[in-house]
């Protein structure tokens, strides 16, 4: 009986989540399915939870590391996208680095990790890399989206994803869509349509408080899922 109840509760949660995503998508203006119309069959989505293992990424003033927030959002988005029929791959599903066992120094491990991620990027139909931002002044805040310049579908999909996330979560946000340059190695090198989402600033107290809340991380994952539905189906 307990098992049946657990299954029923899981099903209820999935249905509620699906209803939330569908409702959110319907409230947004209609957009062309930029990935499908570009001739790209979007079936495999790679979610890249930035950093991991010894590489914690950005660290908030209270010690909160970026890597854990990235992974939590990615796992939530994975479950939502799978529910809608996508094949979803992950660069990582736990607190690990992707470096080769032969990499000894921190630098060698970082380089090895980045090259392994690049291999995974180039095997996917679409890549969403999830990160958090940080700046020296606490006043800066807001989602920002970057895109790879190496595939014609990258920029238009990034534009749809950005509009979707801001419409649902931060309608006052005026941060512009940015082209990934040499400073963002994976976007600069990959041949796949790839975007990087900076979900918020760990250096902003209000945004940090939101990012530490499970409900807000769920909202971020839902907004990403809505963006994929608008841009890919």
């Amino acid at each position: 009986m307990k098992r049946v109840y657990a299954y029923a509760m899981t099903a209820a949660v999935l249905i509620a989540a699906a209803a939330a995503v569908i409702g959110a998508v319907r409230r947004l203006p209609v957009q062309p399915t930029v990935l499908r119309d570009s001739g790209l069959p979007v079936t495999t989505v790679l979610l890249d939870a930035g950093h991991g293992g010894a590489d914690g990424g950005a660290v908030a003033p209270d010690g909160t590391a970026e890597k854990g927030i990235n992974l939590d959002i990615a796992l939530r988005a994975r479950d939502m996208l799978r529910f809608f029929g996508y094949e979803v791959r992950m660069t990582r599903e736990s607190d690990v680095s992707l470096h080769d066992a032969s990499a000894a120094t921190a630098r060698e491990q970082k380089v090895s990790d980045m090259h392994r991620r690049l291999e995974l990027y180039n095997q996917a139909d679409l890549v969403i890399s999830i990160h958090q931002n940080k700046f020296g002044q606490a006043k800066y805040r807001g989602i920002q989206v970057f895109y790879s310049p190496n595939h014609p579908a990258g920029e238009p999909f990034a534009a749809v994803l950005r509009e979707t996330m801001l419409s649902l979560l931060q309608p006052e946000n005026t941060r512009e869509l940015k082209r990934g340059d040499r400073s963002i190695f994976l976007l600069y090198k990959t041949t796949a349509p790839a975007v990087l989402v900076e979900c918020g600033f760990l250096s902003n107290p209000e945004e940090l408080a939101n990012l530490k809340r499970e409900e807000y991380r769920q909202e971020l994952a839902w907004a990403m899922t809505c963006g994929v539905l608008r841009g890919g189906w």
Side-chain angles (χ1 to χ4, degrees), residues 37-194:
D37 293 349
S38 70
L40 181 71
V42 183
T43 57
T44 303
V45 179
L46 177 70
L47 297 179
D48 177 22
H51 308 284
D55 177 12
V59 179
D62 69 354
T64 301
E66 173 188 359
K67 63 177 182 176
I69 296 175
N70 297 343
L71 180 60
D72 184 85
I73 295 169
L75 290 171
R76 294 172 188 276
R78 176 200 65 185
D79 293 344
M80 292 299 301
L81 288 167
R82 284 180 177 170
F83 185 84
F84 282 100
Y86 286 97
E87 177 186 348
V88 182
R89 300 174 186 171
M90 303 282 289
T91 54
R92 64 185 182 95
E93 294 184 298
S94 60
D95 184 16
V96 295
S97 168
L98 277 63
H99 66 265
D100 188 83
S102 63
T105 67
R107 175 176 172 75
E108 289 173 348
Q109 290 174 5
K110 182 64 175 178
V111 170
S112 176
D113 174 275
M114 296 294 276
H115 281 92
R116 176 56 184 149
R117 289 181 200 246
L118 182 59
E119 291 175 7
L120 295 173
Y121 274 41
N122 290 339
Q123 295 168 13
D125 297 325
L126 174 67
V127 181
I128 300 176
S129 181
I130 299 170
H131 284 261
Q132 311 305 316
N133 219 329
K134 183 180 178 181
F135 198 70
Q137 299 178 43
K139 66 180 181 180
Y140 294 103
R141 56 177 296 157
I143 294 167
Q144 187 160 28
V145 179
F146 298 79
Y147 65 92
S148 170
N150 301 325
H151 193 287
E155 182 177 4
F157 171 70
V160 171
L161 180 64
R162 173 189 173 277
E163 181 190 2
T164 303
M165 295 190 71
L166 297 192
S167 295
L168 293 173
L169 299 177
Q170 297 178 359
E172 76 289 348
N173 185 332
T174 59
R175 288 190 172 276
E176 297 179 355
L177 184 66
K178 292 285 189 177
R179 175 188 175 108
D181 59 20
R182 291 179 182 272
S183 67
I184 309 177
F185 174 81
L186 292 170
L187 291 189
Y188 192 73
K189 290 291 187 180
T190 187
T191 56

